[in-house]
Amino acid sequence: MVVKKPRIVIIGAGMAGLTAANTLYTSPGSAESFEVCVVEGGNRIGGRINTSEFCGDRIEMGATWIHGIGGSPIHKIAQEINSLESEQPWECMDGFLDDPVTIAENGYELNPSIVEPVTSFFNKLMDFAKGVEEALSKEDIDFFDNITRESPLGKLSVGSFLRKGLDVYWGSKKGQEELKGYGNWTRKSLEEAIFAIHENTQRTYTSAGDLQTLDYNAESEYRMFPGEEITIAKGYMSIINFIASVLPSGSIQLGRKVAKIEWQPESHHELESENGHESRPVKLHFSDGSMMWADHVIVTVSLGVLKSGIQENSGMFDPQLPNFKKEAISRLGYGVVNKLFLQLSPNHERIPYLQMAFHRPESKFRNQKIPWWIRKTAYMCPIYGNSSVLISWFAGKEALELESLDDEEVISGVSTTISSFLSYSQNNGKNSNSHGNLDSVESSSGRELKFTKCLKSKWANDPLFLGSYSYVAVGSSGEDLDTMAMPLPKHTNFGSNSPLQILFAGEATHRTHYSTTHGAYFSGIREANRLLQHYNCNGV
């Protein structure tokens, strides 16, 4: 038989897959050593990175932020290719965290003296959960330590930790005077609503639709780069296009959805031969009926697709993945986060960075006209200072519901909600607890806020992703992320004639940077290096 170059097939042309391909192609001598092919089920590259345009502005339908610029490989690439500046307006979120206006349902603008103590306390709770104790006093650390000691080891969720913290907060504030001038709102209900704003922001950060499912112990393993968080002026796709630019023409095949991966877990299996050439251990079956053989396959599909793929009737892997791998896939969390963009109708003034404090869903004081799916939306704001395009984020069941609604329902629900918050605030602007500075938000006629069009992401219903990104769920641990990264067949005393048949990359395979584009980037390099080292080539 004729000996051929090892064929490496990478499934998925997102950040992890393209970075793996880039690393394999750019390592010295490897271009002549391997045959590398990227197969992508969709009609574009980028995966969960998808830069788009809305009303003349550049926006991101998926990954948005460089999470810390200190040491981030994404930031370094963006600098090298001059992607951090653009003449076209983009989703830059300038002033995003500066001077938010917090309004409670039924239109009461909240004085910072009410909002800031709760916000500060919430941030301290999260710093403690993340292990950032240098930002805390000894009293804070002792205070929060007591909360964690009361919970069974390994059972504590971020959600329950936060709520226990809120109870302790209230206990320390007994005897405070009730607030006046806020209608049916009590001090306690306002503080809980402010606290919920930050909880709901955490839901979108983590993709845990319910923070009660987010593991507390793993939170301190998660790592962020230092420095500010920024967006990319020329779009996240500029990074993807740069990484893909070194790959030879034809090496990325679009519209090639893999239906089944046949592999050989035992060394004694007889392998099929391909056109009389030396046999390869992995056989890929595509949805169009075509097939491809490979020596090594790097699987970079989302955790959501893997969760679907380990179901008994899926047939994605033949034979099925070993139990240790399936159990890790099952235990880890994977949620849905969607973004909503809306364009304000003409003649409306700028809307501020609006934080919305809602009544509890069961409260008799809630505005019945506000739809349930918007009640866990933390904020709505312009994508840059004077933009007529507003953005909001949704997570969990609310994000799923958003996907099912038509544009008219979305626009109607948001218009009703925002008009309620802002117009009531204007009407109540004379009360002493309101700044009365929102007159610029709505015209003096008090007419309802109108939106002309909207655009939303739909990650949960996209069969190529089935959600947004991973998190460590209660009952899981960081070890499951390491297990996700283990190649197959697993090393045994008996060895294998065909090692490293299936390798795994993607954000859900990185222990400390899961859920991020840079985590996916690192994982692609890791798996490419695993193969380069296997063939005694120099990795990066």
Side-chain angles (χ1 to χ4, degrees), residues 70-82:
S72 166
I74 308 302
H75 182 251
K76 183 179 179 182
I77 293 171
Q79 282 184 311
E80 288 176 357
I81 64 175
N82 298 315

Side-chain angles (χ1 to χ4, degrees), residues 489-511:
K490 189 177 181 182
H491 177 73
T492 67
N493 292 332
F494 301 104
S496 172
N497 292 337
S498 304
L500 301 180
Q501 292 174 38
I502 306 179
L503 302 91
F504 295 85
E507 53 86 11
T509 71
H510 199 290
R511 182 156 184 165

Side-chain angles (χ1 to χ4, degrees), residues 201-278:
T201 302
Q202 285 296 317
R203 292 167 70 236
T204 61
Y205 285 168
T206 62
S207 91
D210 182 352
L211 296 181
Q212 298 290 337
T213 68
L214 182 64
D215 184 70
Y216 173 85
N217 294 310
E219 198 68 17
S220 60
E221 287 193 336
Y222 187 81
R223 293 288 177 266
M224 285 184 64
F225 292 114
E228 62 180 324
E229 296 186 74
I230 62 172
T231 60
I232 301 173
K234 289 190 171 70
Y236 241 113
M237 278 304 297
S238 66
I239 309 294
I240 287 292
N241 291 331
F242 173 75
I243 292 171
S245 65
V246 305
L247 306 180
S249 176
S251 60
I252 302 174
Q253 301 179 14
L254 300 179
R256 297 276 276 161
K257 187 176 181 182
V258 175
K260 182 166 70 173
I261 303 170
E262 267 189 84
W263 61 294
Q264 311 295 334
E266 305 293 341
S267 59
H268 63 262
H269 277 243
E270 287 191 18
L271 307 180
E272 288 187 67
S273 62
E274 181 188 7
N275 300 326
H277 294 288
E278 185 178 89

Side-chain angles (χ1 to χ4, degrees), residues 14-15 44 46-52 58-67 74 90-91 93 204 230-240 337-339 341 391 393 457 459 465 467-469 507 515-520:
M15 179 65 83
R44 62 174 182 84
R48 284 166 277 176
I49 292 171
N50 185 12
T51 304
S52 187
R58 183 178 290 122
I59 60 168
E60 303 289 358
M61 298 301 289
T64 303
W65 298 94
I66 296 177
H67 292 290
I74 308 302
W90 79 96
E91 185 185 341
M93 312 301 290
T204 61
I230 62 172
T231 60
I232 301 173
K234 289 190 171 70
Y236 241 113
M237 278 304 297
S238 66
I239 309 294
I240 287 292
V337 175
N338 279 316
K339 298 173 71 174
F341 299 91
I391 184 175
W393 296 64
S457 57
W459 294 107
F465 307 102
S468 301
Y469 36 92
E507 53 86 11
S515 82
T516 65
T517 53
H518 59 261

